[in-house]
Amino acid sequence: MMTEQPHILVIDDEQIMREGCSRILSKNGWSVATADAGERGLEEIRRSPDSFDAILLDLMMPGMSGMEVLDRIRALDSNLLVIVITGYATVESAVEAMKKGAYDFIPKPFTPDQLRIVVKRALERRSLQKEAEFLRREREKSLQDVAAEKSRIKTIINCMGDGVLVCNRDEYIVLTNPAALRMLNVPEESVSGRPFSQSDLSPELSKIIDETLSRKEKGYLSVSQEFNLDERFLRAHTAPVTNDSGEIMGSVTVLQDISYLKELDKMKSEFIAMVAHELRAPIAAVEQQLTVILNRMAGELTEKQEKMLSRAKERTKGLLTLIKDLLDLSKIEAGKMVQYKEPLSLQDPIQHVVDLMRAEADNKRIDLQFLPSSVTSLIHADRNSMEGIFTNLISNAIKYTPEGGKVRVTLSEEGGCVKATVSDTGIGIRKEDLPRIFDKFFRVKTSETREIIGTGLGLSIVKSIVDAHLGSISIESEVGKGTTFIVLLPKEPFSPACIKEKE
Ligand code: ADP
């Protein structure tokens, strides 16, 4: 791939040879320079290094011999292609020149065609040489680019505020950034280059890395976990790194310090609890006053007044429920809700709640029944919290069941768990709403639920209480037919069997 006009230098003491070679080679479109002695030829080469593609060198010259010139040319640039012109049939000197690194030779006398063929071969070789050189430079350049890119990425990772920790598939920690070391409060040498299980990582972090690396199913599935470390809260997201065929090659963990978010959340909960607490007394007073008026203890009422005050009382009750839910929630978040765990039979708290709910069910002509059970096993639980669970579930069942429906509560045993169910013949829950049903403030929005007062907090409270007792809750529901909530709580004494069965 020759792009420029080839440049040839002819070094010969005989003018006739110089001119003859120039003429023949110029005809091929090649540019030719000449030198009448070895020294001058070397000067030309020194003056413009890299400019000659081939050199024709007469071996028989007065002054510096052709062999010496050849030596010096090779010393200047070993890539230069030198064709020696040998004297009449002196094969030995041609052999010697080739040994010294000449590319080719041409014995005198030669025809113009012989000269062209030899030079052309040298030029082709030169062209290949240049191409190889070009490719070598390109490769070097791209290697440099890769190295620069690598160091750029490393700089970026090192400057990140989030911690980064990378493990290979052999479970060795191969990369950490300063933020990760700072958050985990470990020196680099106690983690980098070590298997993560033998490093100073916290057990929670080791667990999610282990889960990620040992996962069998393919696809991108990240795991998140919050944990505390030295009075700080960290959140770790670990994702697998996979190759083209989906095999796990390692894991990347991004660590965030969420202590300030936790602090903000705590302040928010305290604020809500404080406001709810302050609102409760005056609203309860309003509700009592309304009850007094509605009971005609402050004089007669017109039908219209009674209707309006009844509505006001209903809304006030709704507000009191909201306040109670908010206070329960903030107690749960502060870890104060489930404080007094004791060996307990679920029978009693459920019976208590069913008795309390009876009036509400009767008001809607709903048949509420707690079916007899033979369960004798105890659970280790907080009594008030258990009442909280069933108050919410049973009151929901009544709220979301049309007049004349049925609500059934059952108690049974299943493996290492006590199982309680609350089922109704109500409106049911759509499949698409089920995943969010335990979220705070989530309420299903349909024409049937529009008129029903609620806060969307009840089920999230239920779920938090169940979780705090290491139990589980699930739902079976069919729109228009009814809903069943199933609560499983581990028996006393606690055995992990119940939890295993749930998984
Ligand atoms: P709310 O105060 O709105 O009742 P919850 O957290 O107790 O809040 O319930 C969340 C939502 O779940 C409700 O708004 C309702 O749409 C739905 N839901 C709860 N229990 C039932 C049930 N037994 N039948 C039908 N829908 C229900």
Side-chain angles (χ1 to χ4, degrees), residues 325 392-393 396-401 424 426-429 437-439 442-445 449 452-460 477 482-483 485:
D325 284 354
N392 275 300
L393 293 181
N396 275 351
I398 296 170
K399 258 191 336 190
Y400 298 103
T401 300
D424 60 54
I427 57 174
I429 304 168
I437 211 83
F438 294 110
D439 290 356
F442 178 78
R443 303 203 67 219
V444 175
K445 288 192 179 71
T449 57
I452 301 173
I453 295 173
T455 61
L457 286 172
L459 287 183
S460 82
S477 188
T483 305
F485 282 86

Side-chain angles (χ1 to χ4, degrees), residues 240-355:
V241 180
T242 51
N243 63 12
D244 290 346
S245 48
E247 276 172 87
I248 293 180
M249 306 301 291
S251 68
V252 177
T253 303
V254 175
L255 292 160
Q256 290 170 322
D257 190 335
I258 53 164
S259 309
Y260 73 100
L261 286 177
K262 288 279 177 191
E263 187 54 31
L264 276 180
D265 201 44
K266 192 165 154 243
M267 283 164 69
K268 177 219 70 185
S269 299
E270 283 168 3
F271 175 74
I272 290 177
M274 190 264 286
V275 172
H277 190 81
E278 292 300 313
L279 284 176
R280 187 165 57 177
I283 293 173
V286 171
E287 201 231 9
Q288 272 170 15
Q289 307 281 332
L290 287 171
T291 310
V292 169
I293 298 171
L294 280 166
N295 287 345
R296 310 287 197 282
M297 289 159 82
E300 278 310 308
L301 294 173
T302 65
E303 203 177 312
K304 195 170 176 194
Q305 281 168 337
E306 184 181 356
K307 213 169 161 192
M308 288 169 81
L309 289 174
S310 294
R311 183 82 186 129
K313 185 179 162 177
E314 211 173 280
R315 300 306 293 241
T316 317
K317 260 176 86 179
L319 260 181
L320 284 172
T321 312
L322 171 65
I323 288 169
K324 186 181 171 304
D325 284 354
L326 285 173
L327 286 172
D328 281 355
L329 207 64
S330 62
K331 267 195 221 157
I332 287 173
E333 284 172 355
K336 289 183 194 151
M337 179 85 173
V338 185
Q339 264 182 334
Y340 306 106
K341 283 194 195 167
E342 54 183 342
L344 188 80
S345 154
L346 256 191
Q347 178 80 28
D348 301 344
I350 294 180
Q351 189 62 59
H352 180 67
V353 174
V354 169
D355 292 346

Side-chain angles (χ1 to χ4, degrees), residues 77-278:
D77 181 354
S78 60
N79 282 329
L80 270 175
L81 298 176
V82 182
I83 303 160
V84 293
I85 304 169
T86 54
Y88 300 88
T90 50
V91 177
E92 294 82 0
S93 52
V95 171
E96 196 191 338
M98 298 294 280
K99 276 188 191 155
K100 280 181 185 288
Y103 170 67
D104 209 346
F105 70 96
I106 179 163
K108 278 182 195 166
F110 49 77
T111 64
D113 274 348
Q114 282 170 331
L115 178 66
R116 273 194 215 103
I117 286 167
V118 173
V119 172
K120 197 166 174 215
R121 204 163 50 219
L123 291 178
E124 277 166 7
R125 167 67 185 255
R126 177 72 179 151
S127 158
L128 288 174
Q129 245 180 15
K130 281 187 173 170
E131 198 170 335
E133 178 65 8
F134 172 78
L135 291 174
R136 191 183 61 76
R137 286 217 190 101
E138 281 293 299
R139 203 182 61 221
E140 224 158 58
K141 194 166 144 276
S142 54
L143 284 177
Q144 273 165 8
D145 287 350
V146 170
E149 183 63 20
K150 260 189 173 173
S151 88
R152 200 168 21 237
I153 289 174
K154 191 151 195 239
T155 311
I156 294 170
I157 291 176
N158 282 351
C159 291
M160 278 168 62
D162 286 351
V164 178
L165 191 138
V166 181
C167 285
N168 65 15
R169 69 165 136 197
D170 300 324
E171 306 189 344
Y172 277 77
I173 299 170
V174 289
L175 188 146
T176 51
N177 70 349
L181 299 173
R182 202 173 50 243
M183 282 182 209
L184 298 170
N185 200 13
V186 287
E188 184 167 13
E189 56 278 13
S190 71
V191 284
S192 277
R194 288 176 172 230
F196 71 84
S197 50
Q198 288 166 29
S199 65
D200 286 345
L201 295 187
S202 71
E204 293 90 345
L205 191 52
S206 294
K207 188 165 165 271
I208 65 166
I209 295 175
D210 188 34
E211 270 172 29
T212 304
L213 288 177
S214 51
R215 206 168 29 224
K216 294 284 174 288
E217 72 269 31
K218 293 192 170 173
Y220 177 90
L221 278 171
S222 66
V223 189
S224 288
Q225 165 99 32
E226 284 180 16
F227 57 98
N228 41 353
L229 194 79
D230 306 335
E231 299 186 355
R232 279 176 309 124
F233 285 92
L234 299 182
R235 182 184 290 145
H237 302 276
T238 300
V241 180
T242 51
N243 63 12
D244 290 346
S245 48
E247 276 172 87
I248 293 180
M249 306 301 291
S251 68
V252 177
T253 303
V254 175
L255 292 160
Q256 290 170 322
D257 190 335
I258 53 164
S259 309
Y260 73 100
L261 286 177
K262 288 279 177 191
E263 187 54 31
L264 276 180
D265 201 44
K266 192 165 154 243
M267 283 164 69
K268 177 219 70 185
S269 299
E270 283 168 3
F271 175 74
I272 290 177
M274 190 264 286
V275 172
H277 190 81
E278 292 300 313

Side-chain angles (χ1 to χ4, degrees), residues 422-485:
V422 177
S423 33
D424 60 54
T425 55
I427 57 174
I429 304 168
R430 295 175 300 194
K431 252 198 176 61
E432 62 264 36
D433 290 324
L434 285 176
R436 298 193 55 205
I437 211 83
F438 294 110
D439 290 356
K440 276 183 216 167
F441 299 107
F442 178 78
R443 303 203 67 219
V444 175
K445 288 192 179 71
T446 59
S447 54
E448 285 156 307
T449 57
R450 206 175 29 227
E451 292 296 312
I452 301 173
I453 295 173
T455 61
L457 286 172
L459 287 183
S460 82
I461 292 171
V462 168
K463 174 89 170 72
S464 306
I465 299 173
V466 171
D467 285 348
H469 286 83
L470 304 176
S472 75
I473 179 162
S474 55
I475 312 171
E476 285 165 10
S477 188
E478 207 175 319
V479 173
K481 290 251 166 76
T483 305
T484 301
F485 282 86

Side-chain angles (χ1 to χ4, degrees), residues 336-404:
K336 289 183 194 151
M337 179 85 173
V338 185
Q339 264 182 334
Y340 306 106
K341 283 194 195 167
E342 54 183 342
L344 188 80
S345 154
L346 256 191
Q347 178 80 28
D348 301 344
I350 294 180
Q351 189 62 59
H352 180 67
V353 174
V354 169
D355 292 346
L356 280 180
M357 290 282 158
R358 177 90 48 217
E360 209 170 313
D362 289 348
N363 272 345
K364 271 183 91 179
R365 292 192 301 107
I366 283 177
D367 173 20
L368 166 65
Q369 280 187 40
F370 179 22
L371 302 180
S373 92
S374 56
V375 174
T376 51
S377 297
L378 303 182
I379 56 168
H380 192 70
D382 176 272
R383 190 186 180 92
N384 284 335
S385 304
M386 292 301 114
E387 288 184 1
I389 293 179
F390 293 98
T391 306
N392 275 300
L393 293 181
I394 298 172
S395 93
N396 275 351
I398 296 170
K399 258 191 336 190
Y400 298 103
T401 300
E403 290 208 359

